[in-house]
Amino acid sequence: MLKVKNSKAIYTLSKKSYKSNHKRNLTAVLAIILTTILFTTLFTVGMGIIKSIEYNTMRMSGGMAHGSFKYLSDEQVQLISKNSLLKKVGLSKLCGYISDERLIKRPIELNFKNNIDLELSFIKLSGGTMPSAGDDIVLDTVTLDMLNIEHKVSQKITLETDFGDRTQNITYNLCGWYESDPAFMSSIGLVSKAFADEYLKDRGQNYNKDNDMEGSTTINFMLKSDSDIEKNALRIINESGYSIDEADQNYINYGINWAYLTTSVDGSIKTSLALIAALLLIMFTGYLIIYNIFQISVIKDIRFYGLLKTIGTTGKQIRRILISQALRMCAVGVPIGLALGFIVGALILPLVTAQMYGKMSYLSYNPIIFIGSAFFAVATVFISCYKPAKSASKITPVEAVKITGLRNSSLKKYKHSANGSKLHKMAFSNLGRNKKSTVTAVLSMSLSFLIMNTVFCLSNSLDLDKYVSQFIDCDFQLAHASYFNDDYINEETPVSDSFVNSLKSKQGFLEGGGIYTDYSKQIQTKYNGTLTNSWGSTITFDENNAIGTAIYAMDDFALYNLNIVSGEYNGSEFLTGNYLLLGCLSDDFNNVNLSSLPFKAGDKVTLTEVTNVYSNADSDNYSLSYNYEYNGKEKEYTIMGIYTLCYTNTARAYGDMVTFAMPINEFINWDTSPKMMTYLANGKKGCNEQLELFLKQYTTQTEPTMNYNSKETYKAEFISMKNMLITIGTTLSTIIGLIGLLNFINSISTSIIARQQEFAMIKSIGMTKKQLQKMLIFEGVYYALLTSGFSLFLGITVSFTIVKAIVKGMWFLSLDLTLLPIFLSCFILIIFAVLIPTIIYNANSNKSIVEQLRMAE
């Protein structure tokens, strides 16, 4: 076969054909831009979320190190640091804690760190220098502000310092400061090596035997890759001659930074599946319109391709013409889509990350965002134009002359009807003449309506009461600051009477009650049998070994505030002091497993007081056991009911195997001077904002060691989360909706342009322009009605399957289905269905009937 150099001719044909299709090109380019925007937005937000999660989690975990080896002696540090697998070695020596009461809301750990560890811990000096002398210290800005100390070097600060075995008042010299990270509720105070040598001489060198952490060193390390972090950490331990067996005297305690997503296989798989699903959805959405545009374009220009066939153009060359045109469109649409998509993603990302721990967004500029988005956008265009290009390449010249853009069967079917000429009947029949185009247009519009409706269903299902009640079950909770830091110490940190009385004196106060406990009293529950604790260990109990028990005494308000899940609470009987309420844990959905409890409602239990505890330590096996003496108070009670433990009715620690609630008048028999752990309160209707302002001011200015929690705090978080979901969902569904609307406009306009001969013929036999417009409006309305019906069907199906399953799997959702967004969208679509055909027809009907018939010939 003779090969002819015709590439230039094919290129010229493609270029001329491209320039002659301005409207098609504009529609296709817009579709490519919107599709690319969707891909780029997804990649930008996806990469941003991954980086933001890692960055925020690093901040929450204390640094960017891949992992750490903890509580090391100086000898162990020297040996492990030499391992060739380590890329960076940060050293941090624990030197104690600041126990000053002025900083009770801001726990401070004293460390000596080398420069690498400072980098890994995100600590960078804002002013001054690093510590060098024994009394030098670097503090963060929040700590200095709490101490009312100016950010200025050479200031003297006297602070109570806890070294584990003693506390000591030390006057420090402020040599520098660094900016506080808002993600941290605690701080690091930096001291010098001279400080560690002076105050912690020979400490922390044998943690496995004496559990003395102060003076020990932690290696925070970076590997050459973040893959297989744990595997490499274990290899380093083994190669250094140490063990991960806690019973071994060469045991090394290690930790892996959970900030790195590569350490979570399940999370990576779920993220990947979600990303693949989103990519496929966007590709399908873009495919619907771009395919339709090229399909209609091929039908419109089919005679042109037939003529090319008559002069010897091959099918392969025709495909090249169409693909060349697609590449031209991509060259215009993809760069614009990449830029706009990145901007949209950058705007959406902070809304998403605002709901994360740390709340800071990390906008990634990784080239993968643009390469991946461009690849998928171009791939979508090529997939979309493949079938139309194939159809054009296979058409014969004879067939090309016959094609009108409408599907004809080999056997024509004639309708015999008395009213078939009615405009609405003719319009409905026209929809079926190109079923593929009709289905594509309806499907693309329905998809955007479905996504919008799903988003609004999920946002409506966000349950404020469920969300807030997970954290607080009253309007306000008052306590010492240490309580909210999960560090409640009974005698030292009770909620102050002055704080409680100040709240009670406010006009908006309605009711309240206290909860008391006493860690200094050891009360246990007699039991014969075995139980499994929360760590999975089985423990046998008998007359010499009772169950460790937590007792919470409660005022009436706190008792009535409990969620009773078994039995019934009778206030008057309970106050006799002969009854207890048994606490149990619940999951996020407030489900409880009563069968896991050692007792049930109605059982008799005996509480006994521990009078002496002594230990049996086996230094050879590094084990410790305890023996108890029970010679104190003992009393039998009846369990009236079972209630759920939560943040407001516990010390926020669930280490005890049994927890009981009793009235305060009964608890006095066990502890004559109980201290109030926390105080729960409700405000009068409409007064919570006023009380919130008072509590904030009081805990800031009057008693800084006191703190509070409130429903309003969690309500604000809830509203922020809901707004984020609506904003993101509306943005994405609007883009998809624009694609659907573009497809609708393209289908209508192309149909009108392709049927000019048909319109001229029916006008020549008496149909008026007004009747023709009315028929086209009917066609548009039918499109809208078909879309509405299909959207409602999809909306109902997805709502009762996918949405229902999502709601069932999330504790803060309650199913609240709505079809309002679909109805509103359909109403708007019907308006467009009336306007668009009229506008397009008027723009293409400015020629006479004779001219239109001649053009068709």
Side-chain angles (χ1 to χ4, degrees):
M1 183 177 179
L2 184 63
K3 290 187 178 181
V4 181
K5 292 183 178 180
N6 53 15
S7 298
K8 188 174 181 180
I10 297 298
Y11 172 79
T12 303
L13 275 171
S14 174
K15 185 177 179 181
K16 296 287 185 183
S17 176
Y18 179 82
K19 287 184 175 180
S20 66
N21 284 289
H22 295 295
K23 290 183 179 179
R24 179 208 66 177
N25 298 344
L26 179 61
T27 307
V29 167
L30 283 174
I32 292 168
I33 289 172
L34 290 170
T35 303
T36 310
I37 287 174
L38 280 173
F39 280 122
T40 313
T41 300
L42 176 67
F43 273 87
T44 303
V45 174
M47 292 287 287
I49 287 175
I50 291 171
K51 288 297 180 185
S52 297
I53 288 174
E54 286 191 345
Y55 178 62
N56 285 317
T57 311
M58 285 174 192
R59 291 163 60 218
M60 300 299 290
S61 65
M64 68 170 75
H66 287 146
S68 58
F69 303 117
K70 306 174 183 179
Y71 317 127
L72 305 178
S73 66
D74 295 340
E75 180 186 344
Q76 291 170 325
V77 169
Q78 291 296 324
L79 191 56
I80 293 175
S81 299
K82 296 176 182 177
N83 195 284
S84 60
L85 293 173
L86 297 173
K87 181 181 179 182
K88 289 184 179 181
V89 177
L91 301 179
S92 176
K93 185 181 285 288
L94 176 61
C95 298
Y97 302 87
I98 299 297
S99 54
D100 196 286
E101 192 177 64
R102 293 171 295 173
L103 298 171
I104 191 66
K105 293 182 181 178
R106 190 78 177 180
I108 300 175
E109 182 179 297
L110 294 178
N111 287 159
F112 163 64
K113 293 177 178 284
N114 67 358
N115 290 333
I116 294 175
D117 204 66
L118 290 172
E119 176 194 342
L120 298 179
S121 303
F122 304 115
I123 295 177
K124 186 177 181 181
L125 288 186
S126 301
T129 60
M130 291 300 296
S132 57
D135 61 348
D136 283 350
I137 192 169
V138 168
L139 294 172
D140 65 303
T141 51
V142 166
T143 300
L144 293 175
D145 292 341
M146 292 178 72
L147 292 169
N148 293 319
I149 292 175
E150 188 180 355
H151 303 178
K152 187 177 179 182
V153 297
S154 300
Q155 298 190 76
K156 300 300 180 182
I157 311 171
T158 301
L159 298 170
E160 185 179 349
T161 307
D162 183 357
F163 292 108
D165 60 346
R166 69 193 189 281
T167 58
Q168 191 172 337
N169 285 322
I170 298 176
T171 300
Y172 295 94
N173 172 56
L174 183 66
C175 63
W177 64 91
Y178 64 94
E179 197 67 34
S180 304
D181 191 322
F184 291 158
M185 296 304 293
S186 60
S187 299
I188 298 293
L190 300 175
V191 293
S192 64
K193 186 176 185 301
F195 179 94
D197 292 341
E198 180 181 350
Y199 292 99
L200 298 159
K201 186 175 177 60
D202 300 326
R203 294 274 303 276
Q205 300 302 300
N206 204 354
Y207 175 75
N208 288 348
K209 286 189 176 181
D210 56 23
N211 292 320
D212 187 9
M213 293 186 295
E214 279 75 13
S216 65
T217 301
T218 294
I219 290 179
N220 294 307
F221 62 85
M222 291 291 288
L223 301 169
K224 295 174 182 177
S225 169
D226 60 3
S227 60
D228 296 324
I229 295 175
E230 184 165 14
K231 181 181 177 181
N232 285 318
L234 295 175
R235 181 179 164 187
I236 291 169
I237 292 173
N238 290 329
E239 289 179 356
S240 303
Y242 297 107
S243 168
I244 59 168
D245 183 0
E246 293 186 35
D248 194 321
Q249 60 180 346
N250 289 320
Y251 167 67
I252 294 291
N253 191 316
Y254 76 99
I256 302 303
N257 193 343
W258 38 278
Y260 288 93
L261 298 184
T262 51
T263 62
S264 173
V265 176
D266 292 339
S268 298
I269 290 173
K270 289 178 181 178
T271 302
S272 300
L273 289 175
L275 183 62
I276 290 169
L279 287 172
L280 290 176
L281 176 64
I282 294 171
M283 287 189 75
F284 179 66
T285 306
Y287 167 81
L288 288 175
I289 182 169
I290 298 169
Y291 164 79
N292 205 31
I293 290 168
F294 277 98
Q295 182 69 20
I296 292 170
S297 174
V298 166
I299 292 171
K300 180 185 174 186
D301 296 337
I302 201 71
R303 296 186 183 186
F304 167 69
Y305 297 125
L307 288 171
L308 290 178
K309 278 289 190 76
T310 62
I311 60 174
T313 308
T314 65
K316 185 177 180 181
Q317 290 169 336
I318 290 176
R319 284 198 300 272
R320 280 173 57 194
I321 291 172
L322 277 169
I323 290 172
S324 175
Q325 292 177 11
L327 284 172
R328 284 174 175 270
M329 295 173 192
C330 287
V332 176
V334 170
I336 297 173
L338 290 174
L340 293 177
F342 187 76
I343 293 171
V344 173
L347 293 173
I348 289 177
L349 183 61
L351 297 174
V352 179
T353 55
Q355 305 306 315
M356 298 177 182
Y357 290 113
K359 302 182 182 296
M360 289 182 67
S361 61
Y362 186 100
L363 183 61
S364 175
Y365 295 91
N366 194 318
I368 292 176
I369 293 174
F370 304 100
I371 296 170
S373 303
F375 171 78
F376 281 103
V378 173
T380 303
V381 173
F382 272 80
I383 293 169
S384 304
C385 71
Y386 172 76
K387 193 172 181 181
K390 187 177 179 182
S391 301
S393 66
K394 286 186 175 181
I395 196 74
T396 64
V398 177
E399 288 174 327
V401 174
K402 294 179 181 179
I403 287 181
T404 62
L406 309 172
R407 288 190 174 276
N408 298 314
S409 59
S410 56
L411 295 175
K412 292 185 179 180
K413 295 182 181 179
Y414 296 93
K415 291 185 178 180
H416 300 280
S417 171
N419 55 10
S421 60
K422 289 184 177 180
L423 293 178
H424 66 277
K425 293 274 188 180
M426 293 174 65
F428 189 76
S429 297
N430 287 336
L431 293 183
R433 296 165 70 183
N434 194 333
K435 295 184 177 66
K436 189 174 287 187
S437 175
T438 302
V439 168
T440 306
V442 168
L443 192 58
S444 63
M445 287 184 289
S446 298
L447 189 62
S448 63
F449 293 170
L450 174 65
I451 291 174
M452 182 177 289
N453 195 75
T454 302
V455 169
F456 276 88
C457 278
L458 289 174
S459 64
N460 277 352
S461 297
L462 287 168
D463 192 319
L464 176 61
D465 292 333
K466 272 188 178 182
Y467 183 84
V468 173
S469 64
Q470 189 76 7
F471 306 100
I472 188 169
D473 53 9
C474 55
D475 290 341
F476 301 98
Q477 181 181 18
L478 282 58
H480 193 277
S482 63
Y483 173 86
F484 295 107
N485 292 333
D486 300 333
D487 190 28
Y488 175 72
I489 302 172
N490 179 55
E491 295 296 329
E492 299 177 18
T493 58
V495 59
S496 69
D497 292 337
S498 55
F499 188 24
V500 173
N501 292 332
S502 296
L503 177 64
K504 286 182 178 180
S505 66
K506 293 300 167 185
Q507 191 175 1
F509 174 80
L510 178 62
E511 57 185 347
I515 298 179
Y516 312 75
T517 192
D518 189 349
Y519 284 163
S520 65
K521 288 282 184 182
Q522 288 209 42
I523 303 172
Q524 297 186 353
T525 306
K526 287 189 171 182
Y527 185 75
N528 286 312
T530 58
L531 292 176
T532 302
N533 62 20
S534 55
W535 294 279
S537 300
T538 301
I539 305 174
T540 301
F541 297 97
D542 52 32
E543 62 276 3
N544 297 316
N545 183 26
I547 304 175
T549 304
I551 303 290
Y552 293 105
M554 302 184 186
D555 291 333
D556 287 348
F557 173 79
L559 287 168
Y560 280 104
N561 208 47
L562 297 176
N563 176 35
I564 306 296
V565 293
S566 179
E568 292 184 3
Y569 175 70
N570 185 311
S572 58
E573 281 192 39
F574 193 73
L575 292 178
T576 62
N578 297 318
Y579 296 90
L580 297 173
L581 292 172
L582 173 62
C584 67
L585 293 172
S586 61
D587 60 18
D588 287 336
F589 299 91
N590 290 321
N591 298 317
V592 296
N593 183 10
L594 297 179
S595 62
S596 65
L597 298 173
F599 309 107
K600 61 182 183 295
D603 284 356
K604 303 277 188 183
V605 295
T606 300
L607 300 187
T608 179
E609 184 178 6
V610 178
T611 55
N612 188 28
V613 182
Y614 54 94
S615 62
N616 294 321
D618 186 345
S619 58
D620 293 330
N621 294 320
Y622 301 96
S623 63
L624 193 66
S625 62
Y626 297 93
N627 288 333
Y628 304 95
E629 291 183 1
Y630 306 104
N631 296 313
K633 180 178 171 62
E634 188 171 293
K635 184 175 178 179
E636 184 180 72
Y637 296 90
T638 300
I639 297 177
M640 180 177 282
I642 300 174
Y643 70 98
T644 53
L645 300 170
C646 64
Y647 284 111
T648 54
N649 59 39
T650 64
R652 303 193 171 204
Y654 307 116
D656 299 284
M657 297 189 73
V658 176
T659 300
F660 289 117
M662 66 170 57
I664 182 61
N665 61 315
E666 173 61 18
F667 189 63
I668 292 173
N669 295 326
W670 293 88
D671 183 355
T672 55
S673 57
K675 297 292 190 297
M676 188 184 295
M677 176 184 71
T678 185
Y679 185 80
L680 313 180
N682 283 336
K684 293 178 182 177
K685 189 175 181 180
C687 296
N688 282 0
E689 188 175 337
Q690 173 190 344
L691 292 175
E692 178 97 15
L693 186 62
F694 158 73
L695 290 170
K696 186 175 183 180
Q697 187 177 22
Y698 187 94
T699 54
T700 303
Q701 300 176 4
T702 309
E703 284 193 89
T705 59
M706 295 296 120
N707 210 344
Y708 76 97
N709 210 348
S710 72
K711 279 187 176 179
E712 296 303 317
T713 304
Y714 297 108
K715 283 182 181 179
E717 289 182 5
F718 177 87
I719 292 169
S720 175
M721 180 172 64
K722 186 170 184 176
N723 290 340
M724 177 269 293
L725 179 64
I726 292 174
T727 302
I728 294 172
T730 303
T731 301
L732 294 178
S733 55
T734 298
I735 295 172
I736 295 175
L738 287 173
I739 292 177
L741 183 62
L742 200 62
N743 204 353
F744 174 73
I745 295 171
N746 182 63
S747 297
I748 294 293
S749 62
T750 308
S751 174
I752 290 173
I753 293 168
R755 292 158 61 193
Q756 289 299 308
Q757 179 189 10
E758 177 186 325
F759 293 161
M761 290 180 64
I762 58 178
K763 282 168 72 176
S764 69
I765 59 174
M767 180 176 279
T768 66
K769 182 178 179 180
K770 186 175 181 181
Q771 288 174 320
L772 188 54
Q773 283 181 344
K774 194 173 181 181
M775 183 186 75
L776 292 173
I777 289 171
F778 273 124
E779 287 185 24
V781 170
Y782 284 139
Y783 265 115
L785 292 175
L786 282 172
T787 301
S788 302
F790 191 59
S791 298
L792 287 170
F793 169 75
L794 285 178
I796 293 170
T797 303
V798 169
S799 294
F800 282 97
T801 53
I802 297 174
V803 174
K804 192 173 181 180
I806 293 173
V807 169
K808 191 176 180 182
M810 294 187 177
W811 60 267
F812 53 87
L813 297 180
S814 294
L815 191 62
D816 185 4
L817 301 180
T818 178
L819 294 174
L820 183 61
I822 289 182
F823 282 115
L824 291 175
S825 301
C826 292
F827 176 73
I828 294 171
L829 182 62
I830 289 172
I831 295 175
F832 276 107
V834 173
L835 295 176
I836 290 171
T838 305
I839 294 169
I840 294 173
Y841 175 73
N842 289 333
N844 290 277
S845 60
N846 51 3
K847 294 183 176 66
S848 67
I849 296 175
V850 176
E851 288 176 312
Q852 291 178 34
L853 287 170
R854 283 177 179 173
M855 285 176 65
E857 294 172 358

